[in-house]
């Protein structure tokens, strides 16, 4: 039970701007014989929630900067139109190291629809961990 929780925490932290990678922990717990479905679920949900933290930091940070007049609402609205078109594709890349975390932050800055955000990011994160799980299964036969 502790392994699932530690993987969840690791996946959560890995989705933030902290330089942490949870894939190694996933492989370790797979090798220890923990249930692959529950490992996949914990890693995917944890990583998605970590991305949600990035989203809210972007969301609230932008609101603060507009209130303090460091950013202009009009500039944000212009950029939001582009993100509405390209955002879904960008969020499907949220699984990727280095670029994934800033994409989820930018979605918050752009006030991207939260339900769409959660759906797309969860799909991307699930795909990431499925890929790791499949690689482990191939490697171990």
């Amino acid at each position: 039970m502790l392994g699932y929780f530690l993987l969840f925490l690791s996946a959560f932290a890995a989705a933030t701007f902290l330089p942490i990678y949870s894939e190694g922990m996933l492989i370790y717990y797979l090798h220890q014989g923990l249930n692959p479905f529950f490992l996949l679920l914990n890693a995917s949900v944890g990583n998605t929630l970590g991305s949600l933290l990035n989203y809210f930091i972007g969301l609230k940070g932008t609101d603060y900067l507009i209130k303090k007049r460091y950013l202009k609402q009009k500039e944000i609205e212009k950029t939001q139109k582009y993100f509405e078109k390209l955002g879904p594709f960008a969020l499907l890349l949220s699984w990727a190291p280095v670029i994934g975390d800033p994409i989820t932050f930018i979605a918050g800055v752009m006030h991207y629809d939260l339900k769409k955000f959660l759906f797309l990011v969860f799909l991307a994160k699930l795909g990431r961990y499925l890929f790791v799980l499949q690689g482990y299964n191939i490697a171990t036969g």
Side-chain angles (χ1 to χ4, degrees), residues 58-74 76 111:
L59 182 74
K60 295 303 177 187
T62 304
D63 293 345
Y64 175 79
L65 292 174
I66 289 170
K67 184 176 156 186
K68 293 290 184 181
R69 299 178 193 248
Y70 294 118
L71 288 176
K72 294 180 180 157
Q73 183 66 36
K74 200 169 198 166
I76 297 293
H111 291 78

Side-chain angles (χ1 to χ4, degrees), residues 8-29:
F8 174 88
L9 289 178
S10 172
F12 180 91
T16 65
F17 290 103
L18 296 173
I20 295 173
Y21 299 95
S22 56
E23 295 83 1
M25 190 173 278
L26 173 62
I27 291 169
Y28 172 77
Y29 286 126

